[in-house]
Amino acid sequence: MRDTSMRTTLRIGVLDNDNLSVEYMKALLGRLNRRDEVSLDVWGSSDVATAIHRCCFDAHRTDVLFLDMALSGMDGVGVCRSIREMRSRCAVVGMTSYHMDTYRKPLRDAGGQALLDKKRLVEELPEVLAVVSRGSCYPVDGDFLTVEQSLASGSDCRQVRPLSESEKRVIAMTLGGMPASRIARELGIAESTVFSYHRNIKDKMGKRTWSDVLDEFRSLHLF
């Protein structure tokens, strides 16, 4: 890897439906650990809600997320859009085995920094990681936006009334497929508290039902 703006540790995430693919990607990244004296702290998941939570809310923020574009439940474009609209500065790199043109423009418009052909991962990964870990796009002369450009391009979207970080977590987990019972376990709260969050969010947004809230976030392309 090249200059990473003096960072000595990078937190890297991998999201893929296939656990074997997650482990393969982690192994490839492991080969780059300590390269140019940069340590990589790599996590992997096959769960969309977990990945979004780690990219947007973890105390130790994720610097780069590598995600498969053909996820179940929410595709890679939706995951990228969610991360960007939550104002996370995590760089997002899509990966696909399908035709690149299928995802290039949707991922770019969602705020991604690069799209990789899975067949070229071994040769491209070192350069891609070096570039996107600085918030840049890959290739640097391509049509993807940097992280800051992506955030700025979405700043004029319609905005909902300000929500707390806990309220955002509940929404992210719900639209990531988690039922209220699991959200309660993940956040260490009672299930009734989850429903209290529902009521507070509905009040802030002026919605009658929880379904109306979720529909609003989808219409804003937040999820």
Side-chain angles (χ1 to χ4, degrees), residues 113-138:
Q113 279 56 68
L115 178 64
L116 304 182
D117 186 334
K118 284 189 174 182
K119 295 187 290 292
R120 295 175 54 83
L121 279 176
V122 174
E123 56 194 276
E124 290 191 322
L125 191 58
E127 178 71 8
V128 171
L129 182 58
V131 170
V132 301
S133 64
R134 300 193 300 267
S136 298
C137 56
Y138 178 89

Side-chain angles (χ1 to χ4, degrees), residues 11-14 43 51 54-56 58 60-65 88-91:
R11 194 169 195 225
I12 312 298
V14 179
W43 60 262
R54 287 179 172 174
C55 291
C56 298
D58 267 9
H60 303 291
R61 74 179 181 89
T62 297
D63 297 287
V64 182
L65 176 67
S88 170
R89 285 176 165 74
C90 173

Side-chain angles (χ1 to χ4, degrees), residues 10-16 21-23 25-27 29-30 40-58 60-67 79 83 88 90-91 95:
L10 294 173
R11 194 169 195 225
I12 312 298
V14 179
L15 173 62
D16 197 304
S21 295
V22 171
E23 293 305 315
M25 189 66 184
K26 288 171 66 176
L29 289 164
L40 303 183
D41 174 16
V42 183
W43 60 262
S45 179
S46 58
D47 183 77
V48 167
T50 296
I52 292 174
H53 189 276
R54 287 179 172 174
C55 291
C56 298
F57 304 115
D58 267 9
H60 303 291
R61 74 179 181 89
T62 297
D63 297 287
V64 182
L65 176 67
F66 290 91
L67 78 163
V79 172
I83 290 169
S88 170
C90 173
M95 306 180 294

Side-chain angles (χ1 to χ4, degrees), residues 27-168:
L28 290 182
L29 289 164
R31 297 179 185 178
L32 304 179
N33 193 34
R34 301 300 302 172
R35 187 168 175 169
D36 295 337
E37 300 184 354
V38 177
S39 297
L40 303 183
D41 174 16
V42 183
W43 60 262
S45 179
S46 58
D47 183 77
V48 167
T50 296
I52 292 174
H53 189 276
R54 287 179 172 174
C55 291
C56 298
F57 304 115
D58 267 9
H60 303 291
R61 74 179 181 89
T62 297
D63 297 287
V64 182
L65 176 67
F66 290 91
L67 78 163
D68 183 38
M69 298 306 297
L71 300 166
S72 59
M74 181 188 297
D75 66 11
V77 172
V79 172
C80 180
R81 185 178 292 123
S82 299
I83 290 169
R84 199 58 69 229
E85 292 295 344
M86 285 291 183
R87 313 305 293 169
S88 170
R89 285 176 165 74
C90 173
V92 179
V93 178
M95 306 180 294
T96 185
S97 299
Y98 300 105
H99 198 286
M100 299 279 280
D101 287 345
T102 302
Y103 295 110
R104 188 184 304 279
K105 185 178 185 301
L107 180 63
R108 181 193 66 204
D109 292 347
Q113 279 56 68
L115 178 64
L116 304 182
D117 186 334
K118 284 189 174 182
K119 295 187 290 292
R120 295 175 54 83
L121 279 176
V122 174
E123 56 194 276
E124 290 191 322
L125 191 58
E127 178 71 8
V128 171
L129 182 58
V131 170
V132 301
S133 64
R134 300 193 300 267
S136 298
C137 56
Y138 178 89
V140 292
D141 57 352
D143 56 355
F144 281 91
L145 300 179
T146 68
V147 171
E148 292 303 322
Q149 288 171 334
S150 297
L151 289 168
S153 68
S155 63
D156 58 352
C157 294
R158 287 185 298 128
Q159 297 293 322
V160 298
R161 290 175 58 193
L163 301 174
S164 70
E165 291 303 306
S166 295
E167 289 165 343
K168 289 178 182 178

